[in-house]
Amino acid sequence: MSRTFRRLLALSIMFMTACTPVPQANMAPTLPTRTMGLQDALPPMNRFAGSHVATPTRSNREIGKDFMDLAFRMESGRVVSRLTRFEAPISVRVTGDIPASLTPDLRALLARLRSEAGIDIFMTGSETASITVEAIPRSVLNAAVPRAACFVVPRVSSWDEFKTARRTPTVDWTTLERRDRAAVFVPSDVAPQEIRDCLHEELAQALGPLNDLYRLSDSVFNDDNIHAVLTSFDMLILRAYYDPALQNGMTRGQVAARLGPVLARHNPAGEGRAARPQNDTTRDWIDNIEIALTAGSSATRRRNAALQAVSMAGALNWAGPRDGFAHYAFGRLNVGHDSDIALASFNQALTIYNRSPETRLHAAHVAVQLAAFALSSGDGARVLDLVNGAMPVAAAHENAALLATLMMFKAEALEMTGQTAAATAVRMDSLGWARYGFGADRNVRARLREIASLNPLKGT
């Protein structure tokens, strides 16, 4: 399993600034162009506490289907014939070029796994640890596995072991009878948030399900990568995965026969809820999304693939995360090509995401795109309306990059509406989160410049 660079969450300069219309000539006089943070020393980095990330409770019948599809299939579509897991207690060690943020974030994650998923897991310095987290330079990681931001493999405990065993049955998850060793490889030289996100996704898959499902709105087990940290749904899945009623080597049928009482015990609120109709995500839709989000194809082919995904989602009546994500992807690919189509696609994605509390975080990401349009057109009030609703959601889901970006937009909108002192305070507050979300100071300053350049009162 790997966390790929296909993430639409990381806003590129091209995607953000190319969407903006030309400022009107009759705008108010240009404001000073100096922006707090571009020359000043940045404040200390902020970080989240690693607290419970709650998502709405769904029907246990619905969650049961999700569990089975996550546990007994790989992302590629290959069948996993038996359930495999570690036997407790589970030890985790850290090696390699360890950045300062990694160990505190890992400790916070393990604490959540113990308290929310009920898994007996702890850190150790022993070379015989169940799971090894190794931090290596991104260039080294990508040279071996292109397009992977991070990944997890079974039966190895080091990068050298992996290089020897790669492309052999040793690292094939479907050949496991049980899990004894696994290695999580994360980049050592990227933003703290990216490292933390890798820890959450890859450690969860080292422990439990190996699949991702695009239909999930409340989980890191989704290739849209909207969720950055493990949610209450994910913790429920892991708690069920390690319930004593389930055992290593169980077949799909054996797990299905025992799963109902397991979920009833761990999620009693889900017993009385009606299950919504669910249909599987078609391979054609996934292929189109893959083309749309993967660099290498022509811009025209990527836009056509995204449009095809939009059409297929509509034809299949997917009124949820898949439909919204297809519109979101289509909008992103039309930024700089056709601003009217991009804006219409973002508005449609927001409409879809706003229909359910399960997709509040998805809507917050779309709000960034719409804020870029509003700011560039001089509509400060609209920017404030968008970001004020999205900021609490970003904070609740511990997404510092998203939170900092929204705060930077808010600062520009406050300045645009004459609230200079408030703008300065919000901008300064954004920088601590930006240091966690974007990493190096040059990345933080680049984001400040990028967003400030959208303000027509500041010029270019």
Side-chain angles (χ1 to χ4, degrees), residues 318-336:
W318 291 344
R322 291 170 290 188
D323 189 17
F325 190 62
H327 282 282
Y328 182 39
F330 188 51
R332 292 295 297 270
L333 291 168
N334 275 285
V335 169

Side-chain angles (χ1 to χ4, degrees), residues 48 193 391 394 399-411 426-427 429-438 444 447-448 451:
F48 296 104
Q193 178 166 315
M391 283 169 51
N399 192 321
L402 178 59
L403 178 60
T405 299
L406 291 164
M407 294 175 76
M408 290 176 188
F409 271 109
K410 182 172 183 175
V426 170
R427 187 177 289 115
D429 287 345
S430 76
L431 300 180
W433 296 114
R435 296 192 72 182
Y436 185 82
F438 303 126
V444 175
R447 183 51 49 90
L448 279 170
I451 294 174

Side-chain angles (χ1 to χ4, degrees), residues 5 136-151 159 162-163 166-167 185-187 189:
F5 289 125
I136 59 177
R138 180 164 61 182
S139 60
V140 175
L141 190 152
N142 292 154
V145 186
R147 291 182 54 244
C150 46
F151 58 95
W159 182 250
F162 164 69
K163 288 190 296 182
R166 62 184 304 202
R167 301 191 182 95
F185 300 112
V186 302
D189 50 359

Side-chain angles (χ1 to χ4, degrees), residues 288-289 292 301-311 326 329-330 333:
N288 277 296
I289 287 292
R301 184 173 183 232
R302 293 175 70 185
R303 284 193 296 271
N304 288 341
L307 180 59
Q308 184 66 20
V310 168
S311 299
F330 188 51
L333 291 168

Side-chain angles (χ1 to χ4, degrees), residues 174-189:
T174 65
T175 66
L176 295 182
E177 298 288 340
R178 52 177 284 162
R179 302 187 195 184
D180 295 305
R181 291 191 300 152
V184 171
F185 300 112
V186 302
S188 60
D189 50 359

Side-chain angles (χ1 to χ4, degrees), residues 9 32 41 108 130-131 150 162 168 207 249 301 334 341 356 367 382 405 437:
L9 316 189
S130 310
I131 299 172
C150 46
F162 164 69
T168 73
L207 293 168
R301 184 173 183 232
N334 275 285
I341 291 178
S356 170
R382 174 59 175 160
T405 299

Side-chain angles (χ1 to χ4, degrees), residues 221-238:
F221 294 111
N222 185 328
D223 266 336
D224 66 11
N225 291 314
I226 292 290
H227 284 278
V229 299
L230 293 172
T231 67
S232 55
F233 169 86
D234 299 322
M235 292 298 184
L236 172 61
I237 292 295
L238 290 171

